[in-house]
Amino acid sequence: MFFGVGAYTTAILMKLGGWAFILTVPLGGLFAGILAFFVGLPTLRLKGSYFAIGTWALALALQQLALILDITGGPDGMRLPPYLNPSYFYYWMLGVVGGTFALYWILLEWAPFGLKVRAIREDQDGAMALGINPTRVKVQSFVLSAVPVGLLGSIYAYWITFIDPLSAFGDILTDQAVVMAVVGGLGTLIGPAIGAVIVFTFKTLFWAYLSDYQVLYLIILGVAIALTVLFLPNGLWGTFINYRDSSRGMRTQSVSRPRIDASEHSDEQEKGAPEHG
Amino acid sequence: MELLPQVILDGILIGGIYITIAIGFSLVFGVMHIIDFAVGEWIMLGAFLGYYLNGWTGLDPFALLPVVFVVFFGIGYLIQPAIQRVISGHRGNPLLMGLVFTFGIMLIIRGLGLTIFGFYSRSIPSKLAASSWLFEKGDFFLTVPFVRLAGLAFAVAITLVLHYMLKKTDFGTGVRALAQHKESAGLMGVDSHKTNCIIYGIYVGISAMTGVLVCTIFSMTPMEGGRYTVLAFFVVVLAGMGYLPGVPWAALFLGLIQSIFIVYLSASYTLLAVFVVLYIILLISPKGLFGRGW
């Protein structure tokens, strides 16, 4: 959804406003952030994770909006002036991804913000008792997660030079993002990166050999999600950390990796791992 | 202004369908705290089972509803233990895990649906579809299509049966106890595993029957499941998550909004309008229209 917002921001500003590409990218991120703020404000006040369906629904609504408005070109989509220089976009992408990773690392691993986020994840009521406003932190995290997606959407629009409601707000983008995060490990920084590598390696192979059976791709994504959740609920990276720590017999630092801690307790009981720490 | 009575009637008739789309979804959330992303896909599968059964037997879709219910009750009953496994135990966030798992199921069903049924739109023919009541008195007129009326009657019947089951039977008392406090209900002798399976089966069965209705009144393609997931979600949030008595009123309210927008503005704005309405209501009252949600 935020991807689409970024993509359409760039497309509209460049085509109708005649803006330079460099100026439109930050605006794509900004609009995605603003949207995330207004969406998050009511939905994140609800307990639990079902705001996910809320944002999914909004994505459908925005797709519909992009289909009927004149400014977005409706179902025909928008064409941008081509700029054929793959390495140019490669560096842009690298910059955004690297910057995002660095920013998240600093915010989540070093700054107090990361502690607040973890406190809420572990125990929302406990965090509230310590004077943390859960809704505010959640909205901040949500905005923080939306901005890079908006930036990438902006770059994508100029790179591919064609966007339409289906490619910008389509389901397949969301589906893949969910698979990446779940397979890699939810709530970890490195997990989704591993998941992304796996998904895209697979996707390339799939399109190369099995492109006649497009629908099969959906089924495989679905099976991957279901099996991972059933048998590896911590994802590949989470399971790896879990295994490494329990084989060393170390207590995981509860501050830095709380998601693993939830299952650590049961692991120790089952395997009877000695506790040296 | 002459259109207004017709608009209100259409809203109520559409709202009837929304009741059946959302009521099982709300029940499952209330009892098990599962948000099933695949609700629209059960509706889609039910619609296609109805379509093929109708093609083979030639029976009216309304006569096929019990068959569809039994088949999908079985599927729901068998699939529930897997979901239970995902949402219980030492896993970070049960709600999120359940959501992600059903998201996976949704992708599988949609992929299978597209493979088997193709991309075409199907509709079940019904004898009722051809006829309707027509009131006319000067400028004032009102059309009541029989199929939609039957859909509303079905929704009301389902609501009443669920109400009776939950309030008047021993099984219903067990379900309500389970929804309030799982461990205590277990101590009082409620078999939580079996109850959960039955409730999930009922939910999948109701959703599939709704699919047959939707396919008779409108039409269905394998891609359309997601739309009904969104609608079910809207109704349930509007009613308050897990607050069952709010569902019929929220569904009728949503039907009215939709029908008003279709007639007075444009059909393409409906989803957007519904979303804006939901957004405003959530800002004012986060626990739904009645402030009784979870």
Side-chain angles (χ1 to χ4, degrees):
Chain A
M1 170 171 76
F2 299 116
F3 188 85
V5 171
Y8 270 105
T9 305
T10 294
I12 292 171
L13 284 179
M14 281 185 74
K15 208 174 168 196
L16 303 176
W19 288 45
F21 173 64
I22 296 177
L23 289 175
T24 65
V25 174
L27 277 176
L30 183 70
F31 285 142
I34 292 172
L35 184 68
F37 177 77
F38 282 110
V39 174
L41 215 53
T43 51
L44 289 172
R45 272 158 73 189
L46 304 162
K47 244 180 178 176
S49 321
Y50 48 87
F51 92 98
I53 304 190
T55 51
W56 194 62
L58 180 66
L60 282 182
L62 283 179
Q63 188 178 10
Q64 210 180 29
L65 192 67
L67 276 170
I68 49 180
L69 285 181
D70 285 336
I71 195 170
T72 56
D76 300 332
M78 299 182 83
R79 275 180 198 292
L80 288 152
Y83 183 67
L84 300 169
N85 186 353
S87 59
Y88 176 73
F89 293 107
Y90 175 76
Y91 286 118
W92 263 103
M93 290 276 184
L94 191 70
V96 170
V97 171
T100 307
F101 242 87
L103 181 72
Y104 281 11
W105 187 269
I106 292 167
L107 275 178
L108 295 174
E109 300 287 331
W110 299 101
F113 181 72
L115 290 174
K116 286 186 194 168
V117 170
R118 284 194 191 93
I120 290 169
R121 181 164 72 191
E122 290 297 287
D123 185 348
Q124 182 162 339
D125 296 333
M128 260 166 98
L130 290 173
I132 298 172
N133 180 347
T135 308
R136 180 191 279 175
V137 176
K138 281 182 187 171
V139 171
Q140 285 168 347
S141 321
F142 192 49
V143 170
L144 208 59
S145 72
V147 171
V149 185
L151 294 176
L152 286 179
S154 293
I155 300 170
Y156 173 89
Y158 192 33
W159 182 16
I160 305 296
T161 70
F162 172 72
I163 54 168
D164 63 354
L166 208 62
S167 71
F169 292 109
D171 284 348
I172 200 86
L173 212 71
T174 323
D175 299 350
Q176 284 173 354
V178 172
V179 181
M180 288 171 206
V182 171
V183 171
L186 285 168
T188 60
L189 263 180
I190 301 175
I194 297 174
V197 171
I198 294 174
V199 167
F200 274 92
T201 312
F202 170 73
K203 191 183 175 186
T204 313
L205 287 172
F206 184 88
W207 289 125
Y209 295 110
L210 287 168
S211 53
D212 292 344
Y213 308 95
Q214 292 184 18
V215 175
L216 200 63
Y217 189 63
L218 271 186
I219 302 177
I220 294 173
L221 285 185
V223 171
I225 293 177
L227 288 182
T228 311
V229 174
L230 263 181
F231 299 109
L232 287 177
N234 293 320
L236 286 176
W237 182 245
T239 311
F240 168 71
I241 292 178
N242 218 2
Y243 176 76
R244 189 189 64 189
D245 291 345
S246 65
S247 67
R248 278 191 200 159
M250 275 168 52
R251 276 195 74 81
T252 326
Q253 286 178 327
S254 57
V255 182
S256 72
R257 296 190 198 99
R259 176 153 292 274
I260 317 304
D261 284 352
S263 53
E264 184 204 36
H265 184 60
S266 61
D267 278 1
E268 276 177 3
Q269 282 180 334
E270 283 162 16
K271 295 174 188 167
E275 207 178 301
H276 298 304
Chain B
M1 236 24 227
E2 301 90 57
L3 276 175
L4 194 63
Q6 182 71 48
V7 169
I8 292 172
L9 182 76
D10 280 350
I12 292 170
L13 293 177
I14 299 174
I17 309 276
Y18 291 171
I19 296 177
T20 43
I21 289 177
I23 204 156
F25 188 66
S26 182
L27 180 68
V28 161
F29 182 82
V31 178
M32 282 168 260
H33 294 171
I34 295 172
I35 300 167
D36 193 346
F37 231 116
V39 53
E41 312 308 313
W42 299 125
I43 292 174
M44 184 270 286
L45 280 183
F48 276 89
L49 181 67
Y51 176 80
Y52 284 110
L53 281 179
N54 174 264
W56 289 330
T57 61
L59 287 171
D60 198 79
F62 285 93
L64 292 169
L65 288 176
V67 184
V68 174
F69 179 80
V70 170
V71 171
F72 280 91
F73 178 85
I75 295 177
Y77 192 92
L78 292 176
I79 215 171
Q80 206 277 336
I83 298 177
Q84 195 62 39
R85 189 192 142 114
V86 167
I87 63 168
S88 54
H90 299 278
R91 289 149 205 270
N93 183 343
L95 209 57
L96 183 65
M97 288 322 240
L99 194 66
V100 170
F101 183 70
T102 53
F103 187 81
I105 294 182
M106 176 198 84
L107 288 182
I108 298 173
I109 298 179
R110 182 177 295 174
L112 287 175
L114 285 172
T115 313
I116 300 167
F117 309 130
F119 290 81
Y120 303 108
S121 167
R122 311 282 169 85
S123 182
I124 308 176
S126 168
K127 287 189 199 82
L128 289 174
S131 43
S132 61
W133 273 323
L134 189 66
F135 297 111
E136 222 175 339
K137 213 174 198 182
D139 278 349
F140 178 83
F141 67 93
L142 213 55
T143 321
V144 189
F146 271 173
V147 228
R148 297 202 179 195
L149 197 63
L152 180 66
F154 172 76
V156 172
I158 287 283
T159 312
L160 290 178
V161 167
L162 271 184
H163 179 82
Y164 176 80
M165 188 195 81
L166 287 174
K167 294 279 176 181
K168 297 281 152 68
T169 62
D170 285 352
F171 174 73
T173 313
V175 172
R176 283 185 293 141
L178 208 57
Q180 278 176 8
H181 200 281
K182 201 177 154 195
E183 281 77 17
S184 306
L187 289 171
M188 296 302 127
V190 177
D191 184 346
S192 74
H193 174 72
K194 201 173 162 193
T195 311
N196 281 346
C197 287
I198 292 175
I199 288 290
Y200 204 76
I202 290 176
Y203 145 70
V204 175
I206 291 179
S207 302
M209 286 197 291
T210 311
V212 177
L213 286 185
V214 169
C215 195
T216 310
I217 297 173
F218 309 105
S219 64
M220 183 61 85
T221 70
M223 287 302 283
E224 245 176 317
R227 232 186 100 201
Y228 294 100
T229 306
V230 171
L231 285 172
F233 177 73
F234 277 169
V235 174
V236 169
V237 169
L238 205 58
M241 294 294 285
Y243 180 61
L244 216 49
V247 169
W249 309 117
L252 292 177
F253 179 65
L254 209 63
L256 278 176
I257 291 177
Q258 189 177 358
S259 122
I260 288 169
F261 264 86
I262 287 178
V263 173
Y264 291 108
L265 281 159
S266 154
S268 39
Y269 288 99
T270 38
L271 195 59
L272 212 62
V274 166
F275 194 89
V276 170
V277 169
L278 190 71
Y279 183 93
I280 293 166
I281 286 172
L282 279 184
L283 266 182
I284 299 166
S285 164
K287 290 184 171 180
L289 274 182
F290 310 96
R292 298 279 292 274
W294 190 56

